[in-house]
Short mmCIF file of all heavy atoms in Angstrom, two decimals:
data_model
loop_
_atom_site.label_atom_id
_atom_site.label_comp_id
_atom_site.label_asym_id
_atom_site.label_seq_id
_atom_site.Cartn_x
_atom_site.Cartn_y
_atom_site.Cartn_z
N MET A 294 -42.03 8.38 10.20
CA MET A 294 -42.60 8.32 11.52
C MET A 294 -42.97 6.87 11.82
O MET A 294 -43.55 6.19 10.91
CB MET A 294 -43.85 9.23 11.57
CG MET A 294 -44.69 9.01 12.79
SD MET A 294 -46.23 9.95 12.74
CE MET A 294 -47.29 8.84 11.86
N TYR A 295 -42.67 6.37 12.99
CA TYR A 295 -43.09 5.05 13.38
C TYR A 295 -44.60 5.01 13.56
O TYR A 295 -45.16 5.87 14.28
CB TYR A 295 -42.37 4.56 14.61
CG TYR A 295 -40.99 4.02 14.31
CD1 TYR A 295 -39.89 4.79 14.43
CD2 TYR A 295 -40.91 2.71 13.82
CE1 TYR A 295 -38.62 4.31 14.14
CE2 TYR A 295 -39.64 2.18 13.50
CZ TYR A 295 -38.50 2.98 13.64
OH TYR A 295 -37.29 2.50 13.36
N VAL A 296 -45.26 4.07 12.97
CA VAL A 296 -46.67 3.80 13.20
C VAL A 296 -46.82 2.83 14.30
O VAL A 296 -47.63 3.00 15.22
CB VAL A 296 -47.32 3.29 11.90
CG1 VAL A 296 -48.73 2.79 12.15
CG2 VAL A 296 -47.32 4.37 10.82
N CYS A 297 -46.04 1.79 14.21
CA CYS A 297 -46.09 0.67 15.22
C CYS A 297 -44.77 0.48 15.90
O CYS A 297 -43.81 0.01 15.25
CB CYS A 297 -46.56 -0.62 14.55
SG CYS A 297 -46.68 -2.05 15.63
N LEU A 298 -44.73 0.80 17.14
CA LEU A 298 -43.44 0.64 17.89
C LEU A 298 -43.25 -0.79 18.23
O LEU A 298 -42.10 -1.27 18.38
CB LEU A 298 -43.49 1.54 19.15
CG LEU A 298 -43.49 3.02 18.87
CD1 LEU A 298 -43.61 3.77 20.15
CD2 LEU A 298 -42.25 3.44 18.12
N CYS A 299 -44.32 -1.56 18.44
CA CYS A 299 -44.15 -2.97 18.84
C CYS A 299 -43.47 -3.78 17.75
O CYS A 299 -42.64 -4.63 17.99
CB CYS A 299 -45.50 -3.60 19.19
SG CYS A 299 -46.29 -2.90 20.64
N HIS A 300 -43.82 -3.46 16.46
CA HIS A 300 -43.30 -4.24 15.35
C HIS A 300 -42.34 -3.39 14.54
O HIS A 300 -41.73 -3.93 13.56
CB HIS A 300 -44.42 -4.79 14.48
CG HIS A 300 -45.31 -5.75 15.23
ND1 HIS A 300 -44.85 -6.95 15.69
CD2 HIS A 300 -46.56 -5.65 15.67
CE1 HIS A 300 -45.82 -7.57 16.30
NE2 HIS A 300 -46.87 -6.80 16.31
N GLY A 301 -42.21 -2.13 14.82
CA GLY A 301 -41.15 -1.27 14.14
C GLY A 301 -41.45 -0.98 12.69
O GLY A 301 -40.51 -0.83 11.91
N PHE A 302 -42.74 -0.76 12.31
CA PHE A 302 -42.97 -0.32 10.93
C PHE A 302 -43.36 1.12 10.92
O PHE A 302 -43.99 1.62 11.87
CB PHE A 302 -43.82 -1.27 10.07
CG PHE A 302 -45.21 -1.54 10.64
CD1 PHE A 302 -46.21 -0.63 10.48
CD2 PHE A 302 -45.49 -2.74 11.27
CE1 PHE A 302 -47.50 -0.94 10.94
CE2 PHE A 302 -46.77 -3.06 11.73
CZ PHE A 302 -47.80 -2.09 11.55
N THR A 303 -43.07 1.77 9.78
CA THR A 303 -43.29 3.21 9.63
C THR A 303 -44.46 3.53 8.74
O THR A 303 -44.96 2.68 8.02
CB THR A 303 -42.03 3.86 9.07
OG1 THR A 303 -41.84 3.39 7.72
CG2 THR A 303 -40.78 3.55 9.88
N ASP A 304 -44.82 4.82 8.71
CA ASP A 304 -45.92 5.28 7.81
C ASP A 304 -45.52 5.05 6.33
O ASP A 304 -46.32 4.66 5.53
CB ASP A 304 -46.30 6.71 8.06
CG ASP A 304 -45.12 7.69 7.92
OD1 ASP A 304 -43.96 7.29 8.02
OD2 ASP A 304 -45.41 8.89 7.70
N ARG A 305 -44.23 5.22 6.06
CA ARG A 305 -43.72 5.03 4.65
C ARG A 305 -43.96 3.54 4.27
O ARG A 305 -44.34 3.19 3.20
CB ARG A 305 -42.30 5.42 4.59
CG ARG A 305 -41.78 5.31 3.14
CD ARG A 305 -40.42 5.84 3.00
NE ARG A 305 -40.44 7.33 3.09
CZ ARG A 305 -39.38 8.08 3.01
NH1 ARG A 305 -38.19 7.57 2.87
NH2 ARG A 305 -39.49 9.39 3.08
N GLN A 306 -43.62 2.65 5.20
CA GLN A 306 -43.77 1.21 4.92
C GLN A 306 -45.26 0.82 4.78
O GLN A 306 -45.61 0.05 3.96
CB GLN A 306 -43.13 0.36 6.00
CG GLN A 306 -41.63 0.41 6.04
CD GLN A 306 -41.03 -0.31 7.23
OE1 GLN A 306 -41.27 0.09 8.34
NE2 GLN A 306 -40.27 -1.32 6.94
N VAL A 307 -46.12 1.45 5.58
CA VAL A 307 -47.54 1.20 5.46
C VAL A 307 -48.05 1.69 4.12
O VAL A 307 -48.78 1.00 3.43
CB VAL A 307 -48.38 1.82 6.63
CG1 VAL A 307 -49.86 1.69 6.37
CG2 VAL A 307 -47.98 1.19 7.94
N LYS A 308 -47.58 2.89 3.74
CA LYS A 308 -48.04 3.41 2.42
C LYS A 308 -47.61 2.50 1.28
O LYS A 308 -48.35 2.26 0.34
CB LYS A 308 -47.45 4.82 2.20
CG LYS A 308 -48.20 5.88 2.98
CD LYS A 308 -47.57 7.25 2.82
CE LYS A 308 -48.25 8.27 3.74
NZ LYS A 308 -47.56 9.53 3.78
N CYS A 309 -46.35 1.98 1.35
CA CYS A 309 -45.87 1.08 0.34
C CYS A 309 -46.71 -0.19 0.33
O CYS A 309 -46.99 -0.75 -0.71
CB CYS A 309 -44.40 0.73 0.58
SG CYS A 309 -43.28 2.09 0.17
N ALA A 310 -47.05 -0.69 1.51
CA ALA A 310 -47.88 -1.91 1.63
C ALA A 310 -49.24 -1.68 1.00
O ALA A 310 -49.74 -2.52 0.27
CB ALA A 310 -48.01 -2.31 3.10
N LEU A 311 -49.82 -0.50 1.25
CA LEU A 311 -51.12 -0.17 0.66
C LEU A 311 -51.01 -0.09 -0.84
O LEU A 311 -51.92 -0.58 -1.57
CB LEU A 311 -51.68 1.10 1.30
CG LEU A 311 -52.00 1.07 2.77
CD1 LEU A 311 -52.29 2.42 3.32
CD2 LEU A 311 -53.14 0.11 3.01
N GLU A 312 -49.96 0.51 -1.36
CA GLU A 312 -49.81 0.65 -2.80
C GLU A 312 -49.54 -0.73 -3.42
O GLU A 312 -49.88 -0.91 -4.57
CB GLU A 312 -48.62 1.58 -3.08
CG GLU A 312 -48.96 3.03 -2.82
CD GLU A 312 -47.72 3.96 -2.89
OE1 GLU A 312 -46.66 3.52 -3.30
OE2 GLU A 312 -47.91 5.12 -2.51
N ALA A 313 -48.99 -1.65 -2.63
CA ALA A 313 -48.73 -2.98 -3.15
C ALA A 313 -49.93 -3.89 -3.09
O ALA A 313 -49.87 -5.06 -3.37
CB ALA A 313 -47.57 -3.61 -2.39
N GLY A 314 -51.02 -3.31 -2.57
CA GLY A 314 -52.28 -4.12 -2.56
C GLY A 314 -52.74 -4.62 -1.21
O GLY A 314 -53.65 -5.41 -1.10
N ALA A 315 -52.12 -4.14 -0.14
CA ALA A 315 -52.52 -4.58 1.18
C ALA A 315 -53.56 -3.72 1.79
O ALA A 315 -53.74 -3.61 3.01
CB ALA A 315 -51.32 -4.64 2.13
N GLY A 316 -54.33 -3.02 0.91
CA GLY A 316 -55.25 -2.04 1.42
C GLY A 316 -56.68 -2.49 1.62
O GLY A 316 -57.51 -1.66 1.86
N GLY A 317 -56.90 -3.79 1.56
CA GLY A 317 -58.28 -4.23 1.70
C GLY A 317 -58.85 -4.04 3.09
O GLY A 317 -60.01 -3.79 3.25
N SER A 318 -57.99 -4.06 4.05
CA SER A 318 -58.44 -3.92 5.42
C SER A 318 -57.27 -3.62 6.33
O SER A 318 -56.09 -3.82 5.93
CB SER A 318 -59.18 -5.21 5.91
OG SER A 318 -58.19 -6.25 5.98
N THR A 319 -57.59 -3.26 7.54
CA THR A 319 -56.52 -3.04 8.52
C THR A 319 -55.79 -4.32 8.81
O THR A 319 -54.54 -4.35 8.89
CB THR A 319 -57.14 -2.47 9.83
OG1 THR A 319 -57.88 -1.29 9.53
CG2 THR A 319 -56.10 -2.15 10.88
N ALA A 320 -56.54 -5.40 8.91
CA ALA A 320 -55.90 -6.72 9.15
C ALA A 320 -54.93 -7.09 8.01
O ALA A 320 -53.91 -7.73 8.28
CB ALA A 320 -56.99 -7.81 9.31
N ALA A 321 -55.27 -6.69 6.80
CA ALA A 321 -54.44 -7.04 5.64
C ALA A 321 -53.09 -6.35 5.77
O ALA A 321 -52.08 -6.89 5.35
CB ALA A 321 -55.12 -6.65 4.36
N VAL A 322 -53.05 -5.16 6.36
CA VAL A 322 -51.79 -4.48 6.57
C VAL A 322 -50.91 -5.21 7.51
O VAL A 322 -49.74 -5.45 7.29
CB VAL A 322 -52.05 -3.02 7.05
CG1 VAL A 322 -50.71 -2.32 7.44
CG2 VAL A 322 -52.75 -2.23 5.99
N TYR A 323 -51.49 -5.73 8.63
CA TYR A 323 -50.72 -6.48 9.60
C TYR A 323 -50.30 -7.82 8.97
O TYR A 323 -49.13 -8.23 9.25
CB TYR A 323 -51.52 -6.70 10.89
CG TYR A 323 -51.68 -5.45 11.70
CD1 TYR A 323 -52.82 -4.70 11.54
CD2 TYR A 323 -50.63 -4.96 12.49
CE1 TYR A 323 -52.95 -3.47 12.28
CE2 TYR A 323 -50.78 -3.82 13.19
CZ TYR A 323 -51.93 -3.05 13.06
OH TYR A 323 -52.04 -1.87 13.74
N ARG A 324 -51.11 -8.41 8.15
CA ARG A 324 -50.72 -9.65 7.49
C ARG A 324 -49.52 -9.39 6.56
O ARG A 324 -48.62 -10.20 6.48
CB ARG A 324 -51.88 -10.24 6.69
CG ARG A 324 -52.78 -11.08 7.55
CD ARG A 324 -53.71 -11.98 6.66
NE ARG A 324 -54.50 -11.22 5.75
CZ ARG A 324 -55.73 -10.72 6.05
NH1 ARG A 324 -56.22 -10.88 7.29
NH2 ARG A 324 -56.43 -10.00 5.19
N HIS A 325 -49.56 -8.24 5.89
CA HIS A 325 -48.45 -7.86 5.03
C HIS A 325 -47.11 -7.84 5.78
O HIS A 325 -46.11 -8.31 5.29
CB HIS A 325 -48.71 -6.50 4.40
CG HIS A 325 -47.57 -5.97 3.56
ND1 HIS A 325 -47.48 -6.32 2.20
CD2 HIS A 325 -46.52 -5.23 3.82
CE1 HIS A 325 -46.38 -5.75 1.71
NE2 HIS A 325 -45.77 -5.08 2.68
N PHE A 326 -47.13 -7.38 7.02
CA PHE A 326 -45.93 -7.33 7.83
C PHE A 326 -45.77 -8.60 8.66
O PHE A 326 -44.87 -8.66 9.53
CB PHE A 326 -45.98 -6.08 8.77
CG PHE A 326 -45.90 -4.79 8.03
CD1 PHE A 326 -46.96 -3.92 7.98
CD2 PHE A 326 -44.74 -4.49 7.31
CE1 PHE A 326 -46.85 -2.74 7.26
CE2 PHE A 326 -44.62 -3.30 6.63
CZ PHE A 326 -45.70 -2.42 6.61
N GLU A 327 -46.61 -9.62 8.39
CA GLU A 327 -46.55 -10.90 9.07
C GLU A 327 -46.58 -10.75 10.58
O GLU A 327 -45.72 -11.32 11.29
CB GLU A 327 -45.35 -11.69 8.62
CG GLU A 327 -45.34 -11.93 7.10
CD GLU A 327 -44.12 -12.73 6.63
OE1 GLU A 327 -43.14 -12.81 7.37
OE2 GLU A 327 -44.16 -13.20 5.52
N CYS A 328 -47.51 -9.97 11.07
CA CYS A 328 -47.68 -9.82 12.44
C CYS A 328 -49.17 -9.47 12.80
O CYS A 328 -49.97 -9.38 11.86
CB CYS A 328 -46.78 -8.60 12.99
SG CYS A 328 -47.26 -7.00 12.36
N ALA A 329 -49.43 -9.32 14.05
CA ALA A 329 -50.75 -8.96 14.53
C ALA A 329 -50.54 -7.87 15.56
O ALA A 329 -49.48 -7.79 16.16
CB ALA A 329 -51.48 -10.14 15.11
N PRO A 330 -51.54 -7.03 15.73
CA PRO A 330 -51.39 -5.98 16.77
C PRO A 330 -51.03 -6.60 18.11
O PRO A 330 -51.62 -7.62 18.49
CB PRO A 330 -52.75 -5.29 16.79
CG PRO A 330 -53.34 -5.56 15.49
CD PRO A 330 -52.83 -6.90 15.10
N ARG A 331 -50.10 -5.97 18.81
CA ARG A 331 -49.73 -6.46 20.12
C ARG A 331 -50.39 -5.61 21.16
O ARG A 331 -51.31 -6.06 21.87
CB ARG A 331 -48.18 -6.46 20.28
CG ARG A 331 -47.71 -7.17 21.48
CD ARG A 331 -46.20 -7.24 21.55
NE ARG A 331 -45.63 -7.97 20.41
CZ ARG A 331 -44.37 -7.90 19.99
NH1 ARG A 331 -43.52 -7.15 20.63
NH2 ARG A 331 -43.92 -8.57 18.97
N CYS A 332 -49.93 -4.36 21.33
CA CYS A 332 -50.59 -3.50 22.31
C CYS A 332 -51.85 -2.80 21.76
O CYS A 332 -52.71 -2.35 22.48
CB CYS A 332 -49.61 -2.44 22.78
SG CYS A 332 -49.29 -1.12 21.61
N GLY A 333 -51.93 -2.66 20.43
CA GLY A 333 -53.05 -2.13 19.74
C GLY A 333 -53.08 -0.61 19.58
O GLY A 333 -54.03 -0.04 18.99
N LYS A 334 -52.03 0.10 20.07
CA LYS A 334 -52.05 1.56 19.98
C LYS A 334 -52.00 2.04 18.53
O LYS A 334 -52.38 3.14 18.23
CB LYS A 334 -50.89 2.13 20.78
CG LYS A 334 -51.12 2.08 22.25
CD LYS A 334 -50.02 2.81 23.02
CE LYS A 334 -50.38 2.77 24.48
NZ LYS A 334 -49.37 3.45 25.27
N CYS A 335 -51.39 1.27 17.64
CA CYS A 335 -51.23 1.67 16.24
C CYS A 335 -52.47 1.38 15.43
O CYS A 335 -52.61 1.93 14.30
CB CYS A 335 -50.06 0.93 15.64
SG CYS A 335 -50.21 -0.86 15.76
N VAL A 336 -53.41 0.60 15.90
CA VAL A 336 -54.57 0.17 15.10
C VAL A 336 -55.38 1.36 14.57
O VAL A 336 -55.68 1.39 13.39
CB VAL A 336 -55.43 -0.83 15.88
CG1 VAL A 336 -56.73 -1.11 15.12
CG2 VAL A 336 -54.66 -2.11 16.12
N PRO A 337 -55.71 2.39 15.41
CA PRO A 337 -56.51 3.50 14.84
C PRO A 337 -55.76 4.22 13.71
O PRO A 337 -56.37 4.62 12.73
CB PRO A 337 -56.70 4.44 16.03
CG PRO A 337 -56.53 3.53 17.22
CD PRO A 337 -55.54 2.51 16.84
N LEU A 338 -54.44 4.37 13.83
CA LEU A 338 -53.68 5.06 12.74
C LEU A 338 -53.64 4.19 11.47
O LEU A 338 -53.84 4.73 10.37
CB LEU A 338 -52.27 5.42 13.22
CG LEU A 338 -51.40 6.13 12.18
CD1 LEU A 338 -52.09 7.37 11.71
CD2 LEU A 338 -50.07 6.49 12.87
N VAL A 339 -53.40 2.91 11.65
CA VAL A 339 -53.37 2.00 10.48
C VAL A 339 -54.73 2.03 9.81
O VAL A 339 -54.90 2.09 8.59
CB VAL A 339 -52.97 0.59 10.86
CG1 VAL A 339 -53.19 -0.37 9.71
CG2 VAL A 339 -51.54 0.53 11.34
N ARG A 340 -55.83 2.00 10.64
CA ARG A 340 -57.19 2.03 10.10
C ARG A 340 -57.40 3.34 9.33
O ARG A 340 -57.95 3.33 8.24
CB ARG A 340 -58.22 1.97 11.26
CG ARG A 340 -59.66 1.84 10.74
CD ARG A 340 -60.61 1.72 11.98
NE ARG A 340 -60.27 0.64 12.84
CZ ARG A 340 -60.16 0.68 14.16
NH1 ARG A 340 -60.39 1.80 14.77
NH2 ARG A 340 -59.89 -0.38 14.83
N ASP A 341 -56.97 4.48 9.87
CA ASP A 341 -57.09 5.77 9.20
C ASP A 341 -56.31 5.77 7.88
O ASP A 341 -56.77 6.28 6.87
CB ASP A 341 -56.54 6.91 10.04
CG ASP A 341 -57.49 7.26 11.18
OD1 ASP A 341 -58.65 6.76 11.15
OD2 ASP A 341 -57.05 8.02 12.03
N MET A 342 -55.12 5.15 7.83
CA MET A 342 -54.33 5.10 6.64
C MET A 342 -55.02 4.19 5.60
O MET A 342 -54.95 4.55 4.36
CB MET A 342 -52.93 4.62 6.92
CG MET A 342 -52.11 5.59 7.79
SD MET A 342 -50.47 5.04 8.14
CE MET A 342 -49.67 5.42 6.60
N VAL A 343 -55.67 3.15 5.98
CA VAL A 343 -56.36 2.30 5.05
C VAL A 343 -57.55 3.05 4.48
O VAL A 343 -57.78 3.07 3.28
CB VAL A 343 -56.86 0.98 5.72
CG1 VAL A 343 -57.82 0.21 4.85
CG2 VAL A 343 -55.66 0.12 6.11
N ARG A 344 -58.26 3.73 5.30
CA ARG A 344 -59.41 4.52 4.82
C ARG A 344 -58.95 5.60 3.89
O ARG A 344 -59.58 5.83 2.84
CB ARG A 344 -60.15 5.16 5.99
CG ARG A 344 -61.04 4.25 6.70
CD ARG A 344 -61.97 5.04 7.65
NE ARG A 344 -62.63 4.13 8.59
CZ ARG A 344 -62.66 4.25 9.93
NH1 ARG A 344 -62.14 5.31 10.47
NH2 ARG A 344 -63.29 3.35 10.65
N ALA A 345 -57.87 6.29 4.24
CA ALA A 345 -57.36 7.37 3.35
C ALA A 345 -56.89 6.83 2.04
O ALA A 345 -57.12 7.45 1.00
CB ALA A 345 -56.24 8.10 4.08
N ALA A 346 -56.32 5.65 2.01
CA ALA A 346 -55.87 5.05 0.75
C ALA A 346 -57.06 4.73 -0.13
O ALA A 346 -56.94 4.87 -1.32
CB ALA A 346 -55.03 3.83 1.07
N ARG A 347 -58.18 4.30 0.53
CA ARG A 347 -59.34 3.96 -0.28
C ARG A 347 -59.95 5.20 -0.87
O ARG A 347 -60.52 5.15 -1.96
CB ARG A 347 -60.39 3.34 0.62
CG ARG A 347 -60.11 1.93 1.02
CD ARG A 347 -61.32 1.41 1.81
NE ARG A 347 -60.97 0.11 2.39
CZ ARG A 347 -61.53 -0.32 3.45
NH1 ARG A 347 -62.46 0.38 4.11
NH2 ARG A 347 -61.23 -1.51 3.93
N THR A 348 -59.85 6.32 -0.19
CA THR A 348 -60.50 7.55 -0.72
C THR A 348 -59.52 8.54 -1.29
O THR A 348 -59.86 9.66 -1.61
CB THR A 348 -61.29 8.23 0.47
OG1 THR A 348 -60.38 8.54 1.49
CG2 THR A 348 -62.39 7.35 0.93
N ASP A 349 -58.22 8.16 -1.35
CA ASP A 349 -57.17 9.02 -1.85
C ASP A 349 -57.00 10.34 -1.08
O ASP A 349 -56.73 11.36 -1.62
CB ASP A 349 -57.44 9.37 -3.32
CG ASP A 349 -56.62 8.49 -4.25
OD1 ASP A 349 -55.83 7.69 -3.75
OD2 ASP A 349 -56.76 8.65 -5.48
N GLU A 350 -57.25 10.20 0.21
CA GLU A 350 -57.09 11.42 1.11
C GLU A 350 -55.79 11.21 1.95
O GLU A 350 -55.37 10.09 2.10
CB GLU A 350 -58.27 11.51 2.07
CG GLU A 350 -59.57 11.84 1.45
CD GLU A 350 -60.71 11.86 2.40
OE1 GLU A 350 -60.41 11.67 3.64
OE2 GLU A 350 -61.79 12.03 2.01
N GLU A 351 -55.30 12.30 2.48
CA GLU A 351 -54.26 12.21 3.46
C GLU A 351 -54.85 11.79 4.79
O GLU A 351 -55.94 12.25 5.19
CB GLU A 351 -53.58 13.58 3.62
CG GLU A 351 -52.64 13.92 2.52
CD GLU A 351 -51.49 12.99 2.43
OE1 GLU A 351 -50.85 12.71 3.45
OE2 GLU A 351 -51.23 12.57 1.31
N PRO A 352 -54.22 10.86 5.52
CA PRO A 352 -54.78 10.48 6.83
C PRO A 352 -54.68 11.63 7.82
O PRO A 352 -53.75 12.42 7.75
CB PRO A 352 -53.90 9.30 7.25
CG PRO A 352 -52.63 9.46 6.43
CD PRO A 352 -53.01 10.17 5.19
N PRO A 353 -55.62 11.69 8.74
CA PRO A 353 -55.56 12.81 9.72
C PRO A 353 -54.33 12.59 10.62
O PRO A 353 -53.91 11.42 10.81
CB PRO A 353 -56.82 12.65 10.50
CG PRO A 353 -57.33 11.24 10.24
CD PRO A 353 -56.77 10.85 8.91
N VAL A 354 -53.80 13.64 11.13
CA VAL A 354 -52.63 13.57 12.01
C VAL A 354 -53.11 13.18 13.41
O VAL A 354 -54.01 13.88 13.98
CB VAL A 354 -51.89 14.91 12.03
CG1 VAL A 354 -50.72 14.86 13.03
CG2 VAL A 354 -51.39 15.23 10.65
N ARG A 355 -52.55 12.18 14.00
CA ARG A 355 -52.89 11.81 15.38
C ARG A 355 -51.71 12.18 16.28
O ARG A 355 -50.56 12.03 15.93
CB ARG A 355 -53.14 10.31 15.52
CG ARG A 355 -54.40 9.91 14.79
CD ARG A 355 -54.69 8.41 15.14
NE ARG A 355 -55.91 8.02 14.47
CZ ARG A 355 -57.09 7.97 15.10
NH1 ARG A 355 -57.19 8.26 16.36
NH2 ARG A 355 -58.16 7.58 14.42
N ARG A 356 -52.01 12.68 17.41
CA ARG A 356 -50.96 13.01 18.38
C ARG A 356 -51.13 12.31 19.68
O ARG A 356 -52.17 11.94 20.09
CB ARG A 356 -51.02 14.54 18.64
CG ARG A 356 -50.70 15.25 17.37
CD ARG A 356 -50.91 16.73 17.52
NE ARG A 356 -50.96 17.29 16.17
CZ ARG A 356 -50.11 18.20 15.76
NH1 ARG A 356 -49.15 18.60 16.52
NH2 ARG A 356 -50.21 18.65 14.58
S1 LIG B 612 -47.70 -0.12 18.56
FE1 LIG B 612 -48.40 -1.54 17.09
S2 LIG B 612 -49.04 -3.22 18.30
FE2 LIG B 612 -48.12 -1.90 19.71
#
C-alpha cells in the first residue's frame, strides 16, 4: 500500500526503513527517503508507523 503518493513510497518501504534504523522520528523516515512531506497527508500514517515500531505494535488502519 502506498503511504506517500507525493514521493511514491509504500508501507513495506517504511517498515524496511524503520528496521534499518530510521525509526527515531517521523522526520527520520523522510530523511531516509531523502525527501520532506509535500502535501502532508501521509504524515499521520508515518507517525503511527514510527510509534508502532517503537512499541512493536501493528499500526492502526487509516482510511
Ligand atoms: S502524500 Fe506524502 S507528502 Fe503528500
Side-chain angles (χ1 to χ4, degrees):
M294 169 186 87
Y295 277 97
V296 169
C297 178
L298 293 176
C299 293
H300 297 294
F302 57 79
T303 65
D304 59 338
R305 183 174 288 181
Q306 289 174 299
V307 172
K308 284 178 187 171
C309 287
L311 294 170
E312 287 170 8
S318 66
T319 303
V322 173
Y323 290 96
R324 277 196 300 274
H325 176 87
F326 292 113
E327 299 179 347
C328 66
R331 192 175 297 162
C332 74
K334 286 186 176 180
C335 56
V336 172
L338 180 54
V339 172
R340 187 179 302 132
D341 287 348
M342 293 180 79
V343 170
R344 280 192 194 131
R347 285 184 190 152
T348 58
D349 262 357
E350 292 176 3
E351 284 295 314
V354 175
R355 291 189 181 261
R356 296 171 196 243

